[in-house]
Amino acid sequence: MKKTFRRWLDGDIDLMENITRTAHEHDMDRDEIKKRKKAVSEIIRQREDSQSIILAEEKGFRIFYNIAAIISCVMLITVLLYCVANLPRFGQENVKATVVTQRYIEKGLEETGAVNIVSGMILDYRAFDTLGESHVLFTALVCVMVLLRKDWKNMNSKFEDYSSIRSDRYFQTEKDVILQTIGIVMVPCIFVFGTYVLLNGQNSPGGGFSGGAILGAAMIIFTAAFGFRKVDRFFTLKLSSYVTFVALSFYSFAKGYVFITGANGLDNHIPKGIPGAILSGGLILPLDIAVGLVVACTMYGFYSLFRRGSIGGG
Amino acid sequence: MIEWIRFWITAVLLVIGLISFAAAVIGNYRFGYILNRVHAGGIGDTQGLFFIVLALIVSCNAALDILKLALLVVFMWNTSPVSSHFLSQIAYYTDNELWDHVDRFKVRSHPESEEI
């Protein structure tokens, strides 16, 4: 209302317009006018009714939403507090629950050669689980590629002109000086940090997943700043699939070898190295690199496929 | 004595940082329009982070930790304004009712304000 008044003050609209327009139609039949007025008032009444119903529904939903939010918060708080109250005291021994944990903490360094216990766990004791996770990422990338990739089927659709909508030029925005300046400074730092996290997974917090995520994020930032064409020069679909395939098959074969020899009580001849050095922890460092490459390829692949429907042009 | 001075400097800086973050949170909830919200959020990311990291720098002893915290400030001060800039740029390009949220009497001289 206030906005309309201000617009009327500025002279943008004319509030008397309707009245002046109908004044010319006085030569119409009286019955006709009555009928029309009735119809109009009926329509207005119906609309007001439906609007009031909608408003009441909105109000009721808001009340319901508030009550439900309060109830769910209180329930969550109660459950969490109950769980916390039932936890063993700090430092108290709880033999049943901590057999596996104790084994990891006491013998982890000796058996895996990794200072970082988490890396030793996920890439040595439970390496099969991590293999499954990497394959989940790979499968997700393949599914996204099946659904979104540009090929002759969805390029030649009769219904919409996909070829123009999904071409690279459609998304090419104006070059942004601010983003490019920050990108020149930041992207090398992010790459170096990602590599550090990836290679130092057995000695410090980090490892394959976090390092790969940082590398993928750096590539996404670089793409956002400088366009797809610069990345397409070194990162093509071929390279992406080769890297993913080699990493996953190396992971499977190396870990399968270790599992087979370990299950049969044989020595697997993989040196553990000195704990704390870069080349230590047996297979943990190469497996970290494999997982990190898969994660980086998957992240950039997702971005590229969702953004323009292909990896590395074409 | 010096420990006490350090403690109080740390406490005051932490409180200033927390006030900045509180302003950011309240602004994010109270303001209705995206540009105001971006402005409020930017205060927390730059000013609040700076004061809290400064408090941590005053309170910690190791030189490596100080270097890492300083790098944190450098990184956040470089990246956070860029993201705010992009949010507001997208709002500027996509919002058709942008000029309804601007004080029209102040920006009368702007060419785009005339046609609405």
Side-chain angles (χ1 to χ4, degrees):
Chain A
M1 189 62 212
K2 199 178 165 191
K3 219 181 277 174
T4 324
F5 180 67
R6 184 172 274 181
R7 282 170 74 191
W8 177 69
L9 268 186
D10 292 344
D12 289 342
I13 57 168
D14 190 6
L15 287 178
M16 308 289 280
E17 197 180 10
N18 291 329
I19 299 164
T20 47
R21 206 198 300 147
T22 48
H24 295 293
E25 299 166 359
H26 63 274
D27 51 340
M28 209 185 277
D29 236 8
R30 260 190 196 188
D31 292 348
E32 187 75 10
I33 290 173
K34 254 184 196 169
K35 218 185 269 174
R36 282 193 181 189
K37 270 185 181 171
K38 219 177 205 175
V40 166
S41 64
E42 182 73 13
I43 289 170
I44 289 172
R45 204 175 52 78
Q46 279 176 4
R47 195 173 293 168
E48 277 174 353
D49 279 1
S50 61
Q51 266 182 356
S52 66
I53 289 170
I54 290 170
L55 280 179
E57 275 179 355
E58 274 183 1
K59 203 179 173 190
F61 176 73
R62 218 175 297 138
I63 294 168
F64 167 75
Y65 182 85
N66 285 338
I67 292 172
I70 290 168
I71 288 175
S72 54
C73 281
V74 168
M75 276 171 67
L76 188 66
I77 290 168
T78 320
V79 168
L80 289 178
L81 284 179
Y82 182 73
C83 286
V84 168
N86 278 351
L87 280 179
R89 288 180 77 93
F90 184 74
Q92 194 185 27
E93 270 194 56
N94 186 359
V95 183
K96 262 189 218 161
T98 56
V99 175
V100 180
T101 321
Q102 226 148 21
R103 170 78 180 228
Y104 286 160
I105 291 170
E106 282 170 1
K107 297 220 168 163
L109 181 61
E110 186 189 319
E111 285 178 351
T112 65
V115 180
N116 182 8
I117 301 172
V118 177
S119 264
M121 253 193 279
I122 65 168
L123 287 166
D124 201 302
Y125 289 116
R126 299 179 178 185
F128 228 52
D129 179 52
T130 314
L131 179 64
E133 282 164 20
S134 320
H135 277 97
V136 164
L137 284 174
F138 174 67
T139 317
L141 182 63
V142 169
C143 291
V144 170
M145 213 182 277
V146 165
L147 289 172
L148 291 181
R149 194 166 171 234
K150 270 194 304 195
D151 53 8
W152 62 272
K153 266 184 189 167
N154 55 21
M155 289 279 285
N156 296 344
S157 171
K158 323 173 228 187
F159 303 110
E160 270 181 86
D161 191 8
Y162 280 108
S163 55
S164 72
I165 291 175
R166 302 186 68 184
S167 71
D168 288 2
R169 240 178 306 158
Y170 186 79
F171 297 106
Q172 201 64 49
T173 47
E174 216 175 309
K175 295 274 185 227
D176 197 280
V177 183
I178 296 174
L179 185 60
Q180 286 193 346
T181 316
I182 292 296
I184 286 172
V185 181
M186 280 297 160
V187 168
C189 303
I190 302 174
F191 264 117
V192 169
F193 183 65
T195 317
Y196 161 76
V197 170
L198 191 61
L199 295 183
N200 233 24
Q202 72 274 36
N203 297 329
S204 65
F209 287 103
S210 22
I214 295 170
L215 286 179
M219 277 172 77
I220 290 173
I221 293 170
F222 186 79
T223 315
F226 297 98
F228 280 108
R229 204 162 290 171
K230 297 262 161 97
V231 183
D232 287 350
R233 287 198 186 142
F234 67 93
F235 195 85
T236 55
L237 179 62
K238 219 174 185 180
L239 182 83
S240 167
S241 24
Y242 282 169
V243 165
T244 315
F245 170 71
V246 168
L248 284 178
S249 51
F250 166 73
Y251 193 121
S252 312
F253 282 120
K255 218 54 220 181
Y257 166 71
V258 171
F259 277 140
I260 287 170
T261 51
N264 294 318
L266 300 169
D267 189 14
N268 55 22
H269 300 293
I270 294 170
K272 292 262 161 48
I274 309 153
I278 288 281
L279 293 171
S280 70
L283 268 179
I284 289 179
L285 177 63
L287 295 186
D288 251 345
I289 293 172
V291 172
L293 287 177
V294 171
V295 172
C297 287
T298 309
M299 278 191 66
Y300 178 73
F302 275 178
Y303 176 74
S304 186
L305 282 169
F306 275 102
R307 182 97 185 269
R308 58 166 185 173
S310 71
I311 300 176
Chain B
M1 184 62 200
I2 291 174
E3 284 299 309
W4 271 106
I5 293 171
R6 266 173 69 180
F7 171 76
W8 280 110
I9 291 174
T10 308
V12 169
L13 288 173
L14 269 182
V15 167
I16 293 173
L18 285 178
I19 287 172
S20 309
F21 270 114
V25 171
I26 292 170
N28 255 328
Y29 276 99
R30 296 287 296 174
F31 284 137
Y33 189 54
I34 178 164
L35 291 180
N36 303 341
R37 288 176 155 191
V38 166
H39 168 223
I43 285 176
D45 273 354
T46 51
Q47 190 187 335
L49 186 102
F50 173 71
F51 278 112
I52 283 181
V53 169
L54 202 64
L56 294 177
I57 284 176
V58 169
S59 71
C60 85
N61 291 312
L64 196 62
D65 292 351
I66 292 174
L67 183 70
K68 281 178 184 171
L69 288 167
L71 276 176
L72 183 70
V73 170
V74 169
F75 192 81
M76 281 303 288
W77 274 23
N78 272 317
T79 51
S80 165
V82 176
S83 62
S84 302
H85 160 72
F86 269 94
L87 276 176
S88 15
Q89 199 185 37
I90 286 169
Y92 178 80
Y93 281 136
T94 56
D95 194 355
N96 292 325
E97 296 167 354
L98 179 74
W99 293 101
D100 291 354
H101 301 273
V102 182
D103 198 344
R104 291 186 59 190
F105 296 102
K106 280 188 185 166
V107 290
R108 252 286 144 95
S109 60
H110 198 282
E112 281 185 45
S113 68
E114 292 297 323
E115 63 192 48
I116 295 167

